[in-house]
Amino acid sequence: MQHTPQQWIATLVPILVIGLIIALRLRKMNRASPLRVERLWVLPAFYGAMVAIIFWSHPPHGMTWLYAMLGLLIGLPLGWYRGKLMRINVDPQTHELSQQASPAAILFIVALIAVRYVGRSMAMANGGDSPDAIFAVTDILLAFALGFLTMQRLEMGLRARSLLAAARGRLS
C-alpha cells in the first residue's frame, strides 16, 4: 500500500502535537497545583451536559446504544484507577490541598490515546468512512470519557476529603 505525502502528514501531525502536549505535561508534573474539592464536579457536569446535548440532537442508533453503555462501563473503573494515580497532598499547617499527576497517570492517558487510535483505525478498515460509523465511534468514546472523567473526579474528591479530615483530626 502506497502512502501519499498528505497521508504521512495527516498521520504525523497528530502524533507530534500529542507528543508536544505530553512533553509539556511531564515538565509541569514536578509542580503541585491547588486542588479545589468543591470544584471537582464542574468538569464532569459540563461534559455530561455536552454528551446529553449531543446524544439528544443526534441519538445513537441500534446497537450503538449498547456499545456506548459498554464504553461508559469501561470508563468507570479506568477513571477510578486514574484518579488513584493522582497524588493528593494536604499542607499540615494551612490544610490546603494540592494535586500532582504521576508519570503513571500520563502513561495511562498515552495508552488510552493509543487504544482510541487503534479503534479508529479498525472502524475505518471496516467501512468507517460512512457517517454512521463515525458517529458510532464518537458516541462510544463520548460515553467512555464521561465515565472516565466522572469516576476520576469522584475518587479524587473522596480521597481528598478523607485526607483533609485526617489532617484536621490530628490537630484537634
Side-chain angles (χ1 to χ4, degrees):
M1 176 183 251
Q2 186 71 13
H3 292 294
T4 66
Q6 290 83 6
Q7 289 173 324
W8 283 108
I9 291 171
T11 301
L12 193 58
V13 168
I15 291 170
L16 291 174
V17 169
I18 290 169
L20 178 65
I21 291 169
I22 290 170
L24 292 172
R25 290 287 300 155
L26 285 171
R27 204 175 96 204
K28 289 173 87 176
M29 255 190 214
N30 294 332
R31 293 179 279 168
S33 60
L35 175 63
R36 309 264 188 274
V37 178
E38 65 277 1
R39 293 185 189 168
L40 285 174
W41 66 274
V42 173
L43 182 63
F46 174 75
Y47 190 76
M50 216 173 63
V51 169
I53 290 169
I54 291 169
F55 277 17
W56 178 76
S57 66
H58 205 326
H61 298 286
M63 291 296 288
T64 304
W65 276 112
L66 175 66
Y67 295 136
M69 288 300 115
L70 286 173
L72 178 74
L73 292 174
I74 291 169
L76 294 172
L78 292 176
W80 187 270
Y81 181 70
R82 179 153 194 276
K84 288 184 81 58
L85 292 175
M86 302 294 284
R87 292 185 199 125
I88 299 175
N89 299 310
V90 180
D91 185 293
Q93 281 74 38
T94 65
H95 293 150
E96 289 186 18
L97 292 163
S98 63
Q99 68 179 352
Q100 188 174 357
S102 71
I106 294 297
L107 293 176
F108 187 68
I109 293 295
V110 170
L112 290 176
I113 291 169
V115 167
R116 181 188 179 278
Y117 182 78
V118 168
R120 191 179 82 187
S121 297
M122 288 173 58
M124 294 302 225
N126 294 325
D129 292 332
S130 73
D132 288 339
I134 292 170
F135 282 131
V137 170
T138 304
D139 291 342
I140 294 164
L141 292 173
L142 286 170
F144 171 83
L146 179 60
F148 186 85
L149 284 172
T150 301
M151 290 308 281
Q152 175 189 353
R153 296 297 180 113
L154 179 62
E155 195 285 331
M156 289 174 64
L158 292 173
R159 189 160 38 102
R161 287 181 187 198
S162 174
L163 290 169
L164 190 56
R168 288 181 177 155
R170 284 186 212 132
L171 292 179
S172 299

